[in-house]
Each structure stands twice: as structure tokens, then as C-alpha cells.
């Protein structure tokens, strides 16, 4: 146990950003809290912020005020996600955390870079940056990038020379229940049957890719005896529409919202259809064969890496689902191929990443 350890997370969720950044920070915060740390989340007031969920997990939440958003079309990369300029965000964050200098400031935000981090340098003892893109400089003590295919050399010239790097799925931030259910999940995959399909397109799915997936699945005759479980976030704007679609499908299907035990659902599924975000590592940990759909441009490198490793099958972007999904599903109805994909996926991630990251932060061996 550590006494009086203070950790502040600067992270956002919204209908545009999605929920993945907040969810993986919650996983890290829970592991730190078990060690005795006090965690505070600093978040911008945005539609779909997940602030209520964060507070419900027992963490302090400090909301940054809404600001007049700049013209996002004139901003580079993901800068528009911030809904203000970086200088204003830095000043707002400093004002929120100046009363308690944290031991660690954890930043998980594609719109923030070395300029923001330098402005916050005197506000925390140490800085951990969580990134997936390797597309901008950082001033941090530790950089975490959990993506397959990433190497330390991708950050050459983007980090201080003495910054620690935690690179690859070995450090994927998964909740402990995934490691706990890993052995059982891998054991039940030896049959190679496909009886249950899990569809999960993220916590928001603002463009209703879930609906396109379900319509495509419903047209595959080989799946007539399968059961489909659809998982959606409470902030999804299409939850009601999907519930109606499920009732009209030929396939047996159900919708589950705000699922608390994804590890059990994944363990009991034979095939998953989803995006290559953080849930990709949950599926790998449990050896769950997957069809991957690119939901956003920043997911394509991860999708391609998993496809090359044979740990999942990429079926292109969301616009082509009706043409590609049926054939992709058919290719995985072969028990030999399904078992082989399960083995390759499981070899990439053991579910112990959060433990390794916490050990790094606490200076443990």
C-alpha cells in the first residue's frame, strides 16, 4: 500500500471522442486505488462526458467549463476534440489541481501535446502520457502506447531522451477480470464452433455501425442457429433503434446496455465483431476470434497489425460492411481456422498490463 499518493487524470469522453480513453483510465485508476492512491479526474463538460460514471466508481471528478469552440475545420489532427485551445485548457486544468500537487498527472488525450505538458510541468511530480498515434511530441516521464506493431523507434525525436517507454500489448490496460477468466475462456475454444456472436462497436457508435452489422448478419444463412448479443453504451444515440431492429431480425438476438461484466460475455462468445480500440486487447486476452471494422482513421494501424498477426480478420471500414461481412464470417466457420486465430490472439496479450504499469508508477520491480 502507498500512503497519500495523489493521481490526477486529464481525459475526456464525448459523442465525438467516444468512451475508450476514459474507460482505460478508469481501469488504471481502479488498480491505483487498490494500492491506496486517491484519484481525481479532470474532464471537460461535453455531451457524453461519462462524468457520472467516473464519480460512480468512487473517484473525484472536477469538470472544466464549456468554452466557445474554435472552428474545428481549421485545426490539425485531433485538436478539435478539446473544444477550446490548448492554452485555455492548460490554464483551466492548472486552476483545478493547484490545491493539491499530484504525484502523477496522467494525460490521455489526442488533442494535447508537449506544449500543454510543459505548461503543466510544475503542477505535478511526474507525468504519464497515454498515446496511440506517435504523431506529436511529448514532454513526459513515462509514455504508454499499448498498440501492436508499435516500437520505441516510432517515438524517436518525440520524447525526452530519459523518458520511460511502455510499448505494446504487454501493457494493455485491462480490468483484472480478463486475466482471471483467461484460462477458462481459452479452454472452451477447442471445439471451434460458432454458436454465439458478440457485437460491440464501442460505447457511443454515433454513426450506428451496429445497425449495419446486424442487418448483414441477418442475411447469412449459415448463422441461422446462432445467438447474437449486442452490447451498447448508455450514451449511444441509437440504442432504441437497435432494440427495435433486434426484434425484427430472423436471428435470435438481444441488446445489453452498460454491461458491467464484459469479461464473462466475451468468455461465453465464440466470435466477436467490433472495432480495434481498447476492447481488441480484451478479446485477445480471452482468445476470442474477431472481425474488425475500422470506425475511425486512427484505428486503421491497429486493425492492420492484428490482421497481419492473424489474431483477427480486418473487414474494412464501416461503409463496406454489407459487402464484406458475410464472406468474412463464412471464412471463420472453419473450426481449424477459428482455433488458430484464438491461439494467435491469446499469444499477444495476457491481461496483466495494468499491473505492470502500476508497478512502473510506484517504482516497484
Amino acid at each position: 500500500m502507498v500512503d497519500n499518493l495523489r493521481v490526477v487524470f486529464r481525459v475526456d469522453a464525448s459523442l465525438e471522442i467516444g468512451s475508450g480513453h476514459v474507460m482505460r483510465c478508469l481501469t488504471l485508476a481502479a488498480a491505483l486505488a487498490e494500492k491506496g492512491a486517491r484519484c481525481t479526474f479532470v474532464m471537460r463538460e461535453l455531451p457524453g462526458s461519462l462524468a457520472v460514471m467516473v464519480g460512480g466508481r468512487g473517484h473525484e471528478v472536477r469538470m472544466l467549463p464549456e468554452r466557445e469552440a474554435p472552428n474545428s475545420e481549421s485545426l490539425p489532427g485531433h485538436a478539435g476534440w478539446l473544444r477550446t485551445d490548448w492554452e485555455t485548457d492548460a490554464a483551466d486544468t492548472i486552476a483545478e489541481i493547484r490545491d493539491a500537487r499530484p504525484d502523477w498527472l496522467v494525460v490521455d488525450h489526442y488533442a494535447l501535446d508537449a506544449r500543454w505538458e510543459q505548461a503543466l510541468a510544475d503542477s505535478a511530480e511526474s507525468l504519464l502520457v497515454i498515446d496511440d498515434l506517435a504523431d506529436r511530441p511529448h514532454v513526459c516521464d513515462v509514455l504508454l502506447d499499448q498498440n501492436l506493431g508499435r516500437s520505441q523507434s516510432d517515438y524517436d525525436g518525440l520524447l525526452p531522451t530519459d523518458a520511460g517507454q511502455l510499448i505494446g500489448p504487454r501493457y494493455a490496460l485491462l480490468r483484472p477480470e480478463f486475466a482471471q477468466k483467461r484460462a477458462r475462456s481459452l479452454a472452451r475454444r477447442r471445439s471451434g464452433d460458432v454458436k454465439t456472436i458478440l457485437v460491440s462497436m464501442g460505447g457511443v457508435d454515433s454513426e450506428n455501425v451496429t445497425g449495419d452489422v446486424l442487418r448483414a448478419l441477418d442475411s447469412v444463412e449459415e448463422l441461422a442457429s446462432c445467438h447474437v448479443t449486442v452490447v451498447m453504451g448508455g450514451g449511444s444515440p441509437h440504442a432504441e433503434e437497435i432494440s427495435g431492429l433486434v426484434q425484427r431480425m430472423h436471428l435470435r438476438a438481444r441488446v445489453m446496455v452498460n454491461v458491467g461484466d464484459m469479461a464473462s460475455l466475451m468468455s461465453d462468445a465464440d466470435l466477436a465483431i467490433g472495432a480495434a480500440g481498447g476492447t481488441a486487447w480484451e478479446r485477445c486476452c480471452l482468445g476470442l476470434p474477431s472481425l474488425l471494422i475500422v470506425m475511425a482513421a486512427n484505428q486503421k494501424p491497429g486493425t492492420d497489425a492484428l490482421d497481419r498477426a492473424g489474431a483477427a480478420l480486418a473487414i474494412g471500414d464501416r461503409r463496406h460492411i454489407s459487402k464484406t461481412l458475410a464472406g468474412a464470417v463464412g471464412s471463420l466457420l472453419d473450426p481449424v481456422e477459428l482455433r488458430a486465430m484464438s491461439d494467435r490472439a491469446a499469444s499477444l496479450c495476457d491481461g496483466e498490463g495494468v499491473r505492470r504499469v502500476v508497478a512502473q508508477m510506484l517504482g516497484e520491480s
Side-chain angles (χ1 to χ4, degrees):
M1 296 291 288
V2 292
D3 294 326
N4 301 318
L5 184 74
R6 291 292 305 271
V7 182
V8 169
F9 291 82
R10 176 66 189 95
V11 62
D12 284 330
S14 72
L15 297 180
E16 180 182 14
I17 296 170
S19 61
H21 299 270
V22 166
M23 297 308 295
R24 66 184 176 187
C25 284
L26 277 171
T27 297
L28 180 55
L32 287 165
E34 284 190 358
K35 294 282 190 176
R38 294 173 55 199
C39 297
T40 299
F41 280 68
V42 177
M43 309 171 71
R44 181 71 60 184
E45 194 75 63
L46 299 170
S49 71
L50 299 184
V52 173
M53 174 188 289
V54 175
R57 301 285 178 91
H59 306 298
E60 180 184 13
V61 180
R62 300 189 181 186
M63 299 302 294
L64 304 181
E66 286 189 81
R67 298 290 188 184
E68 183 176 350
N71 180 5
S72 60
E73 295 181 358
S74 65
L75 297 174
H78 296 86
W81 282 11
L82 205 58
R83 306 303 292 169
T84 187
D85 56 80
W86 71 264
E87 295 98 334
T88 300
D89 193 274
D92 288 345
T93 302
I94 290 170
E96 285 295 338
I97 68 174
R98 65 161 49 104
D99 61 330
R101 179 182 171 88
D103 299 279
W104 281 93
L105 174 60
V106 179
V107 185
D108 188 349
H109 210 304
Y110 292 168
L112 300 176
D113 58 21
R115 298 168 298 174
W116 187 98
E117 294 151 11
Q118 189 63 56
L120 272 289
D122 293 331
S123 298
E125 294 291 337
S126 301
L127 176 65
L128 167 65
V129 169
I130 303 176
D131 190 27
D132 305 292
L133 306 178
D135 66 346
R136 61 203 190 282
H138 295 289
V139 180
C140 59
D141 297 283
V142 179
L143 183 286
L144 166 62
D145 187 326
Q146 64 186 26
N147 291 285
L148 180 66
R150 183 70 70 209
S151 66
Q152 292 192 2
S153 62
D154 292 333
Y155 285 94
D156 285 352
L158 299 179
L159 301 175
T161 56
D162 59 348
Q165 294 189 50
L166 309 179
I167 303 293
R170 171 178 170 80
Y171 298 101
L173 297 174
L174 305 190
R175 298 188 302 279
E177 55 262 33
F178 289 94
Q180 293 164 5
K181 289 184 167 60
R182 176 174 164 88
R184 171 186 172 275
S185 181
L186 297 182
R188 65 170 297 278
R189 304 199 178 282
R190 303 335 297 164
S191 70
D193 294 334
V194 177
K195 297 179 179 178
T196 302
I197 299 175
L198 179 66
V199 176
S200 178
M201 306 310 304
V204 177
D205 187 16
S206 59
E207 299 191 23
N208 197 18
V209 178
T210 301
D212 295 333
V213 168
L214 293 178
R215 283 184 282 270
L217 285 177
D218 209 30
S219 67
V220 181
E221 293 183 6
E222 295 89 338
L223 301 179
S225 62
C226 289
H227 188 280
V228 178
T229 297
V230 183
V231 175
M232 308 189 74
S236 173
H238 302 289
E240 186 174 344
E241 179 181 345
I242 293 300
S243 294
L245 174 59
V246 161
Q247 294 175 18
R248 299 190 300 273
M249 289 173 59
H250 298 99
L251 286 174
R252 293 173 298 159
R254 61 174 176 168
V255 177
M256 301 182 69
V257 179
N258 283 345
V259 171
D261 187 5
M262 276 297 290
S264 291
L265 279 181
M266 288 185 179
S267 295
D268 293 336
D270 302 308
L271 178 67
I273 301 174
T279 55
W281 309 121
E282 297 171 355
R283 297 189 292 262
C284 283
C285 176
L286 299 174
L288 176 57
S290 303
L291 301 178
L292 298 181
I293 298 169
V294 177
M295 301 280 283
N298 60 58
Q299 293 179 351
K300 191 173 189 309
T303 300
D304 292 343
L306 285 162
D307 185 85
R308 287 193 300 269
L313 180 61
I315 58 174
D317 68 35
R318 59 188 183 275
R319 295 169 295 179
H320 304 140
I321 292 171
S322 61
K323 299 178 181 178
T324 60
L325 186 60
V329 169
S331 71
L332 290 182
L333 295 180
D334 175 4
V336 175
E337 175 53 33
L338 204 69
R339 287 194 296 267
M341 179 177 285
S342 174
D343 291 341
R344 291 190 291 262
S347 72
L348 297 178
C349 180
D350 62 5
E352 299 288 350
V354 70
R355 178 180 58 80
R356 298 184 179 106
V357 176
V358 168
Q360 177 79 17
M361 295 176 71
L362 300 183
E364 300 172 352
S365 59

